[in-house]
């Protein structure tokens, strides 16, 4: 996320929205201009949770790496999660059309086919196959009210 000032206050830029795009035969994916403007000239993508890919600006990725570096390597969960997240990470540059080329191993992991859904999730994007995204939404839609009740206190007005 980038920070800027607006009327003398610090404003945190956040990624949000849902975008539908097509992955071409060369595994190129157009990243929406709104997201590219937040990311800069490139982005880091890696395996994400729930069967999607995570995408970060270099700045956010470096922050995550700093946090992961503080985890105790003697803990199996820390080693396993760090391996999972970092072994798949790759820095990708946007081409002149605003596309990235998704490596085959990441495309296979996320089961990406032609139709893709890109969502903004505050400090990262998630890249989903259309089928997996729709399955995720269908499986979780009914429980979102309960989830929000468990995560937030009653003073939060959504």
């Amino acid at each position: 996320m980038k920070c800027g000032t607006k009327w003398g206050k610090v404003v945190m830029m956040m990624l949000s929205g849902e975008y539908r795009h097509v992955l071409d035969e060369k595994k190129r994916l157009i990243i929406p201009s709104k997201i590219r403007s937040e990311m800069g000239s490139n982005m880091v993508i890696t395996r994400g949770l729930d069967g999607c890919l995570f995408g970060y600006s270099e700045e956010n990725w470096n922050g995550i790496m700093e946090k992961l570096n503080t985890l105790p390597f003697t803990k199996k969960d820390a080693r396993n999660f760090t391996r999972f997240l970092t072994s798949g990470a790759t820095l990708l540059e946007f081409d002149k059309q605003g596309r990235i080329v998704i490596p085959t191993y990441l495309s296979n992991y996320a089961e990406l086919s032609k139709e893709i859904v890109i969502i903004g999730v505050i400090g990262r994007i998630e890249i989903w196959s259309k089928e997996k995204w729709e399955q995720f939404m269908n499986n979780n839609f009914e429980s979102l009210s309960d989830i929000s009740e468990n995560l937030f206190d009653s003073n939060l007005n959504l």
Side-chain angles (χ1 to χ4, degrees), residues 14-15 20 30 43 62 66 72 78 80 91 97 118-119 134-135 143 146-147 154 158:
M14 293 190 211
L15 299 166
R20 297 188 180 251
I30 294 174
M43 65 184 276
N62 290 337
E66 287 175 16
N80 287 342
L91 180 65
Q97 287 79 36
I118 301 168
I119 62 170
E134 289 175 352
Q135 181 182 11
S143 63
D146 293 336
I147 291 169
S154 60
L158 291 178

Side-chain angles (χ1 to χ4, degrees), residues 59-158:
E59 180 182 1
N60 281 359
W61 180 252
N62 290 337
I64 289 168
M65 291 299 95
E66 287 175 16
K67 288 179 185 177
L68 289 176
N69 198 37
T70 66
L71 296 175
F73 73 90
T74 56
K75 300 283 187 180
K76 185 176 183 178
D77 286 346
R79 291 191 312 271
N80 287 342
F81 184 75
T82 301
R83 285 179 188 132
F84 170 79
L85 197 66
T86 61
S87 67
T90 186
L91 180 65
L92 301 175
E93 220 172 286
F94 298 115
D95 69 11
K96 292 179 183 175
Q97 287 79 36
R99 300 174 299 193
I100 56 171
V101 178
I102 298 183
T104 301
Y105 69 94
L106 290 175
S107 174
N108 290 343
Y109 167 79
E111 299 176 14
L112 301 180
S113 56
K114 193 167 183 81
E115 296 181 72
I116 305 297
V117 178
I118 301 168
I119 62 170
V121 188
I122 306 173
R124 70 174 183 272
I125 64 167
E126 294 181 355
I127 301 171
W128 292 79
S129 72
K130 178 184 171 222
E131 296 79 15
K132 277 191 171 184
W133 175 246
E134 289 175 352
Q135 181 182 11
F136 171 82
M137 291 300 287
N138 289 334
N139 290 344
N140 291 285
F141 185 76
E142 294 294 324
S143 63
L144 289 176
S145 180
D146 293 336
I147 291 169
S148 67
E149 186 175 317
N150 292 333
L151 289 177
F152 303 107
D153 65 24
S154 60
N155 296 330
L156 182 65
N157 294 318
L158 291 178

Side-chain angles (χ1 to χ4, degrees), residues 18-35:
E18 180 176 317
Y19 309 88
R20 297 188 180 251
H21 286 276
V22 174
L23 188 68
D24 72 15
E25 65 281 347
K26 294 181 181 178
K27 305 262 190 242
R28 294 178 298 196
L29 178 65
I30 294 174
I31 301 298
S33 60
K34 181 180 175 187
I35 291 174

